[in-house]
C-alpha cells in the first residue's frame, strides 16, 4: 500500500478546503420579459410530443398545450412575474403554469404496441428559463404530476418519488418565429403498474414548444440577462 507524506496530505487538504470555500460557480443573471404578461406553451406546428419507455412502449401526441386559465387574469398560472420578480441575479426565473394537456387530434394518443394512451396531469407545474450560452429552459413536473394510462391496462406514473426537471434548450423568437423550448430525449423517472407486460422504471420525453405572449400577441417571450 502506498503511503502519502504528511506534506502531500496537508497540500491536498488545503486545496480541498479552498475548493469548498469557493463553492460552485454562480449561475448567470436571468430576466424573462415582458414582465407581467401571460404566456402559452403549445407544440410547434407539425410536431409531436413523444414519451418512451425502452422495451415497452412509445406514445406520440400531436397536441400539447399549457395556457392561462380563462378568463385571462383569473390567477397567476402562465403569468410571467411582474418586475422585479421577472429577474434573478443568480439563476433562473420561474413561471407557474397550468399542467399541460396531451392529446392526439383531441383524443387518445397512439402507441407502437397498438394500444392507445390517455394522460392526466395535475399539481404545481412550472416553466423556468436560465440565461446563458445556450439559453436553457425546463419544465418542472411535480411529484405524481402526470399519469399515463394505456388501453391495455397499464398505469404509468411520472415523477413518482419527487418533482423532476425536464431540461431543454430555449431559443428566443424573432421575425415570424416564436420563442421555443426544445426538449430532446430527456430522462424521467416513472413507476409502472398493471397486468402482464406492464414494466419499466425510467422513460424519456421529447417535444418542441412554441412559447407565445397571450397578453400582447406582437411581443416575444424572451430570456436574457
Amino acid at each position: 500500500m502506498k503511503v502519502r507524506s504528511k506534506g502531500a496530505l496537508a497540500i491536498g487538504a488545503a486545496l480541498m478546503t479552498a475548493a469548498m470555500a469557493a463553492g460552485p460557480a454562480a449561475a448567470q443573471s436571468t430576466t424573462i420579459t415582458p414582465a407581467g404578461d401571460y404566456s402559452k406553451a403549445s407544440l410547434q406546428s407539425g410536431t409531436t410530443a413523444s414519451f418512451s419507455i425502452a422495451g415497452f412502449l412509445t406514445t406520440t401526441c400531436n397536441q400539447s398545450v399549457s395556457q392561462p386559465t380563462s378568463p385571462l387574469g383569473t390567477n397567476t398560472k402562465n403569468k410571467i412575474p411582474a418586475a422585479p420578480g421577472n429577474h434573478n441575479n443568480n439563476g433562473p426565473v420561474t413561471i407557474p403554469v397550468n399542467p399541460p394537456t396531451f392529446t392526439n387530434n383531441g383524443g387518445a394518443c397512439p402507441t407502437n404496441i397498438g394500444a392507445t394512451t390517455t394522460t392526466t396531469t395535475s399539481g404545481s407545474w412550472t416553466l423556468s428559463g436560465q440565461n446563458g450560452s445556450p439559453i436553457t429552459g425546463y419544465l418542472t413536473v411535480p411529484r405524481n404530476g402526470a399519469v399515463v394510462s394505456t388501453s391495455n391496462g397499464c398505469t404509468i406514473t411520472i415523477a413518482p418519488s419527487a418533482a423532476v426537471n425536464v431540461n431543454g434548450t430555449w431559443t428566443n423568437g424573432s421575425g415570424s418565429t416564436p420563442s421555443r423550448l426544445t426538449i430532446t430525449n430527456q430522462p424521467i423517472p416513472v413507476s409502472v403498474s398493471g397486468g402482464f407486460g406492464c414494466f419499466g422504471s425510467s422513460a424519456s420525453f421529447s417535444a418542441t414548444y412554441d412559447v407565445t405572449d397571450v397578453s400582447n400577441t406582437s411581443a416575444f417571450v424572451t430570456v436574457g440577462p
Side-chain angles (χ1 to χ4, degrees):
M1 180 177 69
K2 186 176 180 180
V3 179
R4 295 184 180 181
S5 70
K6 291 183 178 180
L9 290 173
I11 292 172
L15 290 172
M16 182 177 293
T17 301
M20 291 174 65
Q28 295 187 37
S29 67
T30 300
T31 304
I32 298 183
T33 56
D37 280 12
Y38 282 88
S39 63
K40 178 174 77 171
S42 52
L43 277 184
Q44 179 185 351
S45 178
T47 69
T48 60
S50 175
F51 174 76
S52 298
I53 300 178
F56 176 25
L57 92 163
T58 297
T59 183
T60 55
C61 305
N62 62 14
Q63 296 167 317
S64 179
V65 61
S66 170
Q67 56 189 334
T69 305
S70 181
L72 202 65
T74 299
N75 54 38
T76 60
K77 296 293 186 180
N78 294 76
K79 184 178 182 180
I80 300 168
N86 68 319
H87 175 80
N88 184 348
N89 284 329
N90 300 297
V93 172
T94 296
I95 303 169
V97 298
N98 280 314
T101 57
F102 295 91
T103 56
N104 199 77
N105 298 326
C109 299
T111 72
N112 62 323
I113 60 173
T116 59
T117 63
T118 55
T119 300
T120 303
T121 53
S122 62
S124 300
W125 289 60
T126 60
L127 170 65
S128 300
Q130 170 64 63
N131 183 49
S133 182
I135 302 170
T136 58
Y138 55 90
L139 286 168
T140 299
V141 184
R143 182 181 179 185
N144 301 327
V147 176
V148 180
S149 302
T150 69
S151 59
N152 62 340
C154 301
T155 300
I156 304 157
T157 302
I158 296 172
S161 300
V164 61
N165 294 334
V166 185
N167 299 317
T169 302
W170 180 281
T171 306
N172 285 324
S174 64
S176 60
T177 303
S179 296
R180 283 183 176 147
L181 172 63
T182 302
I183 299 168
T184 305
N185 293 327
Q186 286 300 298
I188 303 175
V190 298
S191 64
V192 182
S193 61
F196 176 78
C198 302
F199 60 90
S201 60
S202 63
S204 63
F205 178 74
S206 298
T208 299
Y209 287 96
D210 288 346
V211 183
T212 55
D213 191 315
V214 176
S215 301
N216 179 4
T217 55
S218 64
F220 291 107
V221 178
T222 61
V223 178

